[in-house]
Amino acid sequence: MSPARMPITAVLFGIGPIGAGIGRLAAQRDEIALVGAIDSGPDKVGRPLYDLLETTPPSATPQPQVEADAAAVLASAKPDVVLHATGSYLEDVAPQLVACAQGGANVVSTCEELSYPWVRHPGLAKQLDAEAKANGVTLLGTGINPGFVMDTLAVTLSGVCQVIDSIRLTRIVDVGTRRSQLQRKVGVGLPESEFREKAATGRFGHVGLKESCWMIAAALGWRFDELTETLEPVAGTDATGAGQLQTVRGSIGGRTVIEAVVEMSINAERPRDEIVIAGTPGVRLVIEGGVAGDQATPSVIVNSIPGVLAHPGGLATMLDLPPPAGTGATS
Amino acid sequence: MSPARMPITAVLFGIGPIGAGIGRLAAQRDEIALVGAIDSGPDKVGRPLYDLLETTPPSATPQPQVEADAAAVLASAKPDVVLHATGSYLEDVAPQLVACAQGGANVVSTCEELSYPWVRHPGLAKQLDAEAKANGVTLLGTGINPGFVMDTLAVTLSGVCQVIDSIRLTRIVDVGTRRSQLQRKVGVGLPESEFREKAATGRFGHVGLKESCWMIAAALGWRFDELTETLEPVAGTDATGAGQLQTVRGSIGGRTVIEAVVEMSINAERPRDEIVIAGTPGVRLVIEGGVAGDQATPSVIVNSIPGVLAHPGGLATMLDLPPPAGTGATS
């Protein structure tokens, strides 16, 4: 599990709230050196990276400045890995991923659709896989959800079962405790009609729930006859919404084998992550309170770096990698 | 995650209660063919394997007979993998593992001390690693505990943390619901004096709790200054004991960073598996009732086969392998 090179050189690609969190965590890790930063935001280009991260640079060496030209940063910094956090949709970010691969860099990305891209975007997945292999690098999409609580953790838990009849996944998040950007993303404050209009665009609400189900299906050998998704507003105390309730159901031969429910709303009842496997043996795992996404997404990204560096190359998923261990405090 | 060869050929090595459970599960799996069986028990040698497994052979082809000579079985059956369940202590089973490696077979073993052998048996671990590499095979020790609930699952969960301050692991098993062999193993029915005499031999009680802690430490980058173990009888309703309470504590710089507690007793209160990580973020995972070991140990063994077959060779641990996914029922 020891990293291949010390320090691991990393470039941060995308410095929004999540990207900045990833950057701060990477900066704290002795084994990682941030050697470049990419973001095209006019308020960011040209600024010293650690100013944007609002943290102290680890040493007196010159710190990277944020630049807009990804290819140029990659060519000069030649990082081992790019920590990528620019978007949820694979079609939007694929050119950036190709640029990373062609620049010879491995990628760990927050892109939700990259977590298991083989079903929604088979052509793009094949192309990215080929590009990565041609350049001897590995691309991975991960995070807390998708990437961990509703897929990797469920697949890992399924290892205790002789046979799995069905899986029910539940993630309840009280977004009252989370950043305002996430609240807007899940429809807090939206009138119902507006929520439904946005939902109809297919680019609204939590992204990646089907990806989690496809990842589980791939691991367990399931081929769904049908995989349906619903996205409903959660009623607030006034005329505007309190958030979203999203459900994906997968069936084989008329039997529901997977049900995944994500509720993200203000004052959601009993926030938790729960995995219930009906099988031999049956098993129910609960994390009361749920895993805190704002802190945990950077963790999963940074903790996945050693697995990605050790991977032989291509488009990987969490199914291909060893457990993404965290770092123990020694003082 | 698809196996390298279809079907995977397997030899069962050790046909006690756990070995038989592994054999029955392997027999159920379409992708596995049992091509040989090894056990030196006079009541087993020469008998048809499926008679001992008390299950129906999958086809009309001749079924293997149990043989005592491991090298002979391996030479004629040439299996992809040996499913090994003969003992808990590495010194006892190492010659069998060497025979498997020299026979060109990968091994998935229930041997508790093999789950993370690098600290208790560094010389033997090095020797087995070299033997495996020289023969291009992989050796793995795993199971439900050690192997899963108190190590692999904890390491996987630690992936959501930016930093881990400490970990507390708890496994409470009501052995009243388990096989009598296990009850005897944990001291049910023993007078306290006899329990303590047995405990003093160092070959009594649950085996592998320190191994779980060493595995976690390796993943998280901890080096214990001290790792202590206590083994106490649990008082029963009469003069004899109801089971065992075992505790391992690891410390760094005077601070306890890991505490692992296994209680296995008749009528144990609130049976469960619990992992509490103090860190950023903190997280508490609970499996109420606990994972049922009798069914789950064969699961983890058989579900680890694809990861072992894909591994490049040597002495592996669960830290090196992708998640051991189970198999989904499709009807």
Side-chain angles (χ1 to χ4, degrees):
Chain A
M1 300 291 297
S2 54
R5 289 157 287 243
M6 288 288 277
I8 297 160
T9 54
V11 159
L12 190 60
F13 196 153
I15 318 176
I18 293 290
I22 293 166
R24 276 189 291 273
L25 179 56
Q28 281 169 28
R29 293 280 175 94
D30 293 338
E31 74 275 18
I32 300 174
L34 285 170
V35 294
I38 305 164
D39 197 301
S40 58
D43 53 331
K44 293 170 190 161
V45 173
R47 289 182 59 191
L49 173 59
Y50 285 85
D51 285 9
L52 281 176
L53 299 183
E54 294 172 352
T55 185
T56 317
S59 76
T61 56
Q63 61 164 308
Q65 290 210 335
V66 179
E67 298 179 43
D69 184 341
V73 172
L74 294 165
S76 70
K78 294 187 176 43
D80 296 320
V81 64
V82 169
L83 306 174
H84 176 265
T86 69
S88 301
Y89 301 102
L90 192 56
E91 285 170 346
D92 298 349
V93 307
Q96 300 170 349
L97 301 173
V98 169
C100 293
Q102 292 180 345
N106 299 283
V107 179
V108 186
S109 172
T110 62
C111 175
E112 284 90 336
E113 287 190 350
L114 185 64
S115 64
Y116 196 85
W118 295 99
V119 184
R120 197 190 296 271
H121 300 292
L124 209 41
K126 216 170 153 181
Q127 187 192 328
L128 289 169
D129 185 49
E131 196 71 64
K133 282 179 175 148
N135 290 281
V137 298
T138 295
L139 310 179
L140 172 74
T142 189
I144 198 65
N145 184 32
F148 195 86
V149 285
M150 299 186 84
D151 37 50
T152 303
L153 189 58
V155 169
T156 302
L157 185 65
S158 81
V160 309
C161 296
Q162 303 200 354
V163 67
I164 294 110
D165 295 316
S166 64
I167 298 190
R168 201 175 73 232
L169 306 152
T170 308
R171 179 162 167 85
I172 313 280
V173 179
D174 177 359
V175 293
T177 65
R178 298 283 300 269
R179 63 201 155 84
S180 58
Q181 202 195 35
L182 184 76
Q183 294 185 10
R184 281 195 303 277
K185 199 171 138 188
V186 301
V188 172
L190 280 189
E192 185 180 334
S193 59
E194 211 173 313
F195 184 104
R196 294 196 185 280
E197 269 168 40
K198 280 175 174 269
T201 66
R203 284 215 167 190
F204 184 63
H206 168 68
V207 181
L209 197 51
K210 280 191 171 178
E211 276 72 8
S212 290
C213 295
W214 285 319
M215 195 192 301
I216 290 173
L220 271 56
W222 277 337
R223 284 168 184 266
F224 301 128
D225 295 327
E226 212 178 8
L227 190 71
T228 60
E229 183 163 23
T230 60
L231 178 59
E232 291 292 319
V234 173
T237 49
D238 55 17
T240 64
Q244 65 148 70
L245 175 68
Q246 195 165 1
T247 305
V248 168
R249 280 193 192 85
S251 63
I252 297 174
R255 188 172 70 84
T256 298
V257 294
I258 196 162
E259 183 180 74
V261 176
V262 176
E263 180 181 344
M264 304 178 90
S265 66
I266 302 279
N267 297 326
E269 227 173 284
R270 203 184 147 209
R272 68 188 184 280
D273 288 302
E274 183 174 303
I275 299 167
V276 182
I277 301 183
T280 308
V283 57
R284 188 169 68 90
L285 177 161
V286 180
I287 299 172
E288 291 292 346
V291 177
D294 291 344
Q295 291 176 324
T297 298
S299 309
V300 177
I301 295 290
V302 171
N303 293 334
S304 296
I305 295 173
V308 163
L309 295 186
H311 187 268
L315 178 52
T317 75
M318 293 295 273
L319 299 180
D320 305 310
L321 301 184
T327 291
T330 51
S331 58
Chain B
M1 301 293 295
S2 56
R5 289 157 286 243
M6 287 288 275
I8 296 160
T9 55
V11 159
L12 191 59
F13 196 154
I15 317 176
I18 293 290
I22 294 167
R24 275 189 291 271
L25 179 56
Q28 281 169 28
R29 294 280 175 94
D30 293 338
E31 75 275 18
I32 300 174
L34 285 170
V35 294
I38 305 164
D39 197 302
S40 58
D43 54 330
K44 294 169 190 164
V45 173
R47 288 182 60 190
L49 172 60
Y50 285 85
D51 285 9
L52 282 176
L53 300 184
E54 295 174 353
T55 185
T56 317
S59 76
T61 56
Q63 60 164 309
Q65 289 209 336
V66 179
E67 297 178 44
D69 184 341
V73 172
L74 294 165
S76 70
K78 294 186 176 42
D80 296 320
V81 65
V82 169
L83 307 174
H84 177 265
T86 68
S88 302
Y89 301 102
L90 192 57
E91 284 169 346
D92 298 350
V93 308
Q96 300 170 350
L97 301 174
V98 169
C100 293
Q102 291 179 347
N106 299 284
V107 178
V108 186
S109 173
T110 62
C111 174
E112 284 91 337
E113 287 189 349
L114 185 64
S115 64
Y116 196 84
W118 295 99
V119 184
R120 196 189 296 271
H121 301 291
L124 209 42
K126 218 169 150 180
Q127 187 193 328
L128 289 169
D129 185 49
E131 197 70 66
K133 282 177 176 151
N135 290 283
V137 298
T138 295
L139 310 179
L140 172 75
T142 190
I144 198 65
N145 183 32
F148 194 85
V149 285
M150 299 186 85
D151 37 49
T152 303
L153 189 58
V155 169
T156 302
L157 186 64
S158 81
V160 309
C161 297
Q162 303 200 354
V163 68
I164 293 110
D165 296 316
S166 64
I167 298 190
R168 201 175 72 232
L169 305 152
T170 308
R171 178 161 168 84
I172 312 280
V173 179
D174 178 359
V175 293
T177 65
R178 299 283 300 271
R179 63 202 155 84
S180 58
Q181 202 195 36
L182 183 76
Q183 295 184 10
R184 281 194 302 278
K185 199 172 137 186
V186 301
V188 172
L190 281 190
E192 186 181 332
S193 59
E194 209 172 316
F195 185 103
R196 294 196 186 280
E197 270 169 39
K198 281 176 175 266
T201 66
R203 284 217 167 190
F204 184 62
H206 168 67
V207 181
L209 197 52
K210 280 191 171 181
E211 277 71 9
S212 290
C213 294
W214 285 319
M215 195 193 300
I216 290 173
L220 271 56
W222 278 337
R223 283 168 184 266
F224 301 127
D225 296 328
E226 213 177 8
L227 190 71
T228 60
E229 183 163 21
T230 61
L231 179 58
E232 292 291 320
V234 173
T237 49
D238 55 17
T240 64
Q244 66 149 72
L245 176 67
Q246 195 166 2
T247 305
V248 169
R249 279 192 193 86
S251 63
I252 297 174
R255 188 172 70 83
T256 298
V257 294
I258 196 163
E259 184 180 73
V261 176
V262 175
E263 180 180 343
M264 304 178 89
S265 66
I266 302 278
N267 296 327
E269 226 172 285
R270 204 185 147 210
R272 69 187 184 281
D273 288 303
E274 184 174 303
I275 299 167
V276 182
I277 301 183
T280 308
V283 57
R284 187 169 68 90
L285 177 160
V286 180
I287 298 172
E288 291 292 345
V291 177
D294 291 343
Q295 292 176 325
T297 298
S299 309
V300 177
I301 294 291
V302 172
N303 293 335
S304 295
I305 295 173
V308 163
L309 295 186
H311 187 269
L315 178 51
T317 75
M318 293 294 274
L319 298 181
D320 306 311
L321 300 185
T327 290
T330 51
S331 58

